[in-house]
Amino acid sequence: MATMDGDARVTLDPAFRVGAVDRRLFGSFVEHMGRCVYTGIFEPGHPAATPEGFRSDVLALTRELGVTTVRYPGGNFVSGYRWEDGVGPVSERPTRLDLAWRSIESNEFGLNEFLDWAGAAGVEPMLAVNLGTRGVQEAADLVEYCNYPGGSALSDLRRTHGVDKPHDVRLWCLGNELDGPWQVGHKTADEYGRLAAEAARAMRLVDPRIELVASGSSGRWMPTFGAWESTVLEHTYELVDYISLHAYYQEHEQDADPLGEFLAAAVDMETFIEQVVATADAVGARLGSRKKLRLSFDEWNVWYQSRFPGARSLPWAQAPRLIEDDFSTVDAVVVGSFLIALLRHADRVGIACQAQLVNIIAPIRTEPGGPSWRQPTFHPFAHVARYARGDVLRVEPSAARYPTDRYGPVSTVDAVATLEEETGEVALFAVHRGRDADRPLRIDLRALPGLRVVDHLVLGGEDLRATNSAAEPDRVIPRPGNGSTVEGDVLTVPLPPVSWTVLRLAPSP
Ligand code: AHR
């Protein structure tokens, strides 16, 4: 579908702000699934392994990616997981059947290994408790094992496992996707809401400082979406800090304009956020609460689910290759548009985790015993994690629209900007969904005079279906942008077709 003519425009004005950029927006996710843990972050015997068995190449890429928070150990996996299997002497740990992914779980890597890894990676852990097959006691036990200093059975058990000081884990998810019939221990909203409320109470009795995330719908497409959030929050509103959202998107061959529809997927993500905010606020109003609940978008990404046969048909295997999608330039542009959508809602979305970190639909890929490399989607995430600082400015991009079947008319350009008060630096992130030609983006800087461009990066504009691989790890990378011009208070930047652009502006010295 051809786009209409016309320049795109944004106005940057420090008087209009959405809210502070919470660093937890740059989260990721490590699940015991496929090769995310085994031969992903953990591979004793790999030439780059640390003494603990962590892949140091993956640790370095994780730091470069700028991930701040990592959710663990699932995902669907957590709904059948016994955390006790993964602590204590490795030789005594049981091998179990992971029913979620039909995988053989050796438990060689468990809680303390993950928390050590998180320390080495410099990320905050976000732990999920099993509310599928387990309940209040096990959830409280896990908080005691992790956070109680000593002198109780489980804190002393931790100390016998060589961890003297408490891990002090603050962020906790109350189960995972229990609205989904595929989930081991699937529940109705009332069953889950009651259980989550009681687990929350017990966990907070052990450690009142923890922050809790109630499980929202596994997707906006779920038939129970909305009703699930409403009922769950009726039970948990005053006991939790966040409600979760999960969403995955892909290009659909059956669409009349597959690329145009896919490039517009962030419109759905924004609608999802706004609908969950509305639902949570409606419950808050009904309960007469002054509290405003925040959102944890703790699974989001591109995922070509149509290529996955489904967990039920998998043969039992140990650390199999599951959903190792090769991402392209287009996927990176779409990921960029998701990051814009998340930042634009920084007033309510306080946590976001791209799912997952390594190998599983991930920005980082590895080969067992071999190299690691960055997928194209690595780059927009790293840009935003590095440069989005301070406050999100309320920018209202105006641009030509193109028609879509799924979302109606969609803007060819989307953009968001942040302003760091201390340095006066501005970062602007933009996607161009148009496919025909460069489109000039005119940035009105009247309210921020004296800024100059210090960096201009572009990913896309060409080789839309190119991917990276072990053999060609840097085929898709960001390149320096050029062609920006200044006229009075207006900076004009050309946005190539189907592209992601980062513009960093700083006060003139
Ligand atoms: O990230 C892959 C899976 O997607 C997770 O295990 C689950 O929570 C979601 O459905």
Side-chain angles (χ1 to χ4, degrees):
M1 176 57 58
T3 57
M4 286 173 274
D5 285 338
D7 298 350
R9 291 190 162 73
V10 291
T11 301
L12 305 188
D13 189 329
F16 302 104
R17 304 185 189 213
V18 177
V21 178
D22 196 314
R23 302 299 302 160
R24 285 173 170 172
L25 286 176
F26 314 120
S28 189
F29 176 30
V30 166
E31 176 166 9
H32 281 251
M33 174 180 176
R35 300 192 310 112
C36 189
V37 171
Y38 302 107
T39 73
I41 62 171
F42 180 71
E43 190 177 346
H46 187 277
T50 65
E52 299 83 9
F54 306 149
R55 282 188 63 149
S56 62
D57 55 340
V58 173
L59 276 173
L61 285 174
T62 302
R63 288 191 212 101
E64 181 187 322
L65 185 62
V67 167
T68 52
T69 304
V70 177
R71 183 166 170 255
Y72 173 88
N76 296 346
F77 172 82
V78 79
S79 295
Y81 184 51
R82 304 160 171 97
W83 66 266
E84 302 89 334
D85 289 348
V87 296
V90 174
S91 59
E92 292 170 21
R93 297 186 193 172
T95 294
R96 299 272 191 197
L97 298 183
D98 158 29
L99 304 182
W101 301 112
R102 289 176 62 87
S103 294
I104 311 290
E105 175 55 59
S106 69
N107 283 306
E108 198 188 338
F109 187 97
L111 182 68
N112 291 316
E113 287 80 19
F114 173 72
L115 292 166
D116 278 357
W117 177 87
V123 301
E124 179 187 25
M126 177 182 190
L127 294 184
V129 298
N130 174 357
L131 293 187
T133 59
R134 308 190 92 191
V136 177
Q137 186 64 64
E138 294 89 346
D141 285 353
L142 182 53
V143 179
E144 179 185 331
Y145 181 91
C146 287
N147 287 7
Y148 198 72
S152 71
L154 292 170
S155 56
D156 287 346
L157 180 67
R158 182 195 69 236
R159 294 167 84 175
T160 68
H161 294 160
V163 185
D164 195 43
K165 290 211 175 67
H167 288 299
D168 206 12
V169 176
R170 294 295 172 97
L171 256 185
W172 295 82
C173 303
L174 296 163
N176 176 72
E177 292 190 356
L178 286 146
D179 61 323
W182 59 86
Q183 205 70 218
V184 180
H186 163 58
K187 293 181 171 45
T188 65
D190 264 315
E191 287 165 350
Y192 169 72
R194 284 281 303 123
L195 178 58
E198 295 310 323
R201 280 195 189 95
M203 292 165 77
R204 276 203 210 281
L205 286 172
V206 179
D207 184 349
R209 302 164 309 160
I210 60 176
E211 294 168 62
L212 294 169
V213 183
S215 285
S217 294
S218 350
R220 197 165 87 85
W221 48 270
M222 287 294 290
T224 47
F225 170 58
W228 173 272
E229 279 76 3
S230 199
T231 304
V232 166
L233 289 177
E234 295 277 356
H235 290 289
T236 59
Y237 196 84
E238 296 297 349
L239 297 164
V240 301
D241 304 282
Y242 298 88
I243 176 97
S244 76
L245 296 81
H246 291 179
Y248 296 99
Y249 299 92
Q250 72 166 92
E251 194 169 349
H252 296 278
E253 279 169 24
Q254 71 274 19
D255 286 344
D257 175 17
L259 179 57
E261 299 284 337
F262 182 43
L263 287 167
V267 173
D268 183 81
M269 187 188 222
E270 297 208 47
T271 305
F272 190 11
I273 291 171
E274 284 155 20
Q275 291 177 340
V276 174
V277 166
T279 307
D281 287 354
V283 175
R286 261 200 315 275
L287 298 176
S289 176
R290 297 173 58 147
K291 174 174 170 177
K292 278 260 189 273
L293 207 67
R294 301 194 84 200
L295 273 47
S296 173
F297 214 128
D298 48 42
E299 285 188 37
W300 66 266
N301 211 346
V302 174
W303 174 4
Y304 288 84
Q305 281 178 304
S306 56
R307 295 178 195 157
F308 181 52
R312 299 275 182 278
S313 58
L314 297 172
W316 287 100
Q318 199 156 1
R321 286 182 189 267
L322 294 184
I323 62 170
E324 300 192 5
D325 290 358
D326 290 324
F327 290 133
S328 67
T329 308
V330 168
D331 299 317
V333 173
V334 172
V335 162
S337 69
F338 294 153
L339 290 159
I340 290 173
L342 291 166
L343 282 173
R344 184 179 291 123
H345 292 88
D347 53 337
R348 298 302 292 267
V349 183
I351 302 170
C353 303
Q354 191 184 32
Q356 300 186 3
L357 181 65
V358 190
N359 291 326
I360 303 279
I361 47 171
I364 301 171
R365 290 283 295 276
T366 67
E367 274 304 313
S372 51
W373 65 96
R374 302 166 192 80
Q375 293 234 59
T377 54
F378 183 100
H379 299 290
F381 188 104
H383 291 153
V384 174
R386 195 171 313 142
Y387 301 129
R389 305 258 159 193
D391 285 345
V392 178
L393 296 181
R394 191 172 293 284
V395 298
E396 308 273 352
S398 93
R401 291 166 174 240
Y402 68 100
T404 68
D405 289 337
R406 289 173 184 265
Y407 316 110
V410 171
S411 178
T412 48
V413 171
D414 200 6
V416 74
T418 59
L419 167 67
E420 192 180 30
E421 207 69 66
E422 302 79 55
T423 59
E425 286 184 14
V426 167
L428 181 131
F429 308 98
V431 286
H432 180 202
R433 300 179 171 119
R435 281 162 280 165
D436 299 338
D438 280 14
R439 182 172 299 272
L441 174 63
R442 304 207 187 285
I443 306 162
D444 184 330
L445 293 170
R446 258 172 307 176
L448 285 163
L451 288 179
R452 73 201 154 90
V453 177
V454 290
D455 206 3
H456 176 187
L457 296 166
V458 175
L459 189 147
E462 56 190 16
D463 284 343
L464 295 190
R465 302 298 174 177
T467 57
N468 294 340
S469 62
E472 264 189 303
D474 291 327
R475 190 158 164 219
V476 184
I477 53 169
R479 303 185 186 284
N482 50 49
S484 62
T485 55
V486 182
E487 219 181 297
D489 293 322
V490 177
L491 170 66
T492 302
V493 188
L495 304 180
V498 189
S499 65
W500 161 256
T501 291
V502 180
L503 209 59
R504 291 176 54 226
L505 310 171
S508 304

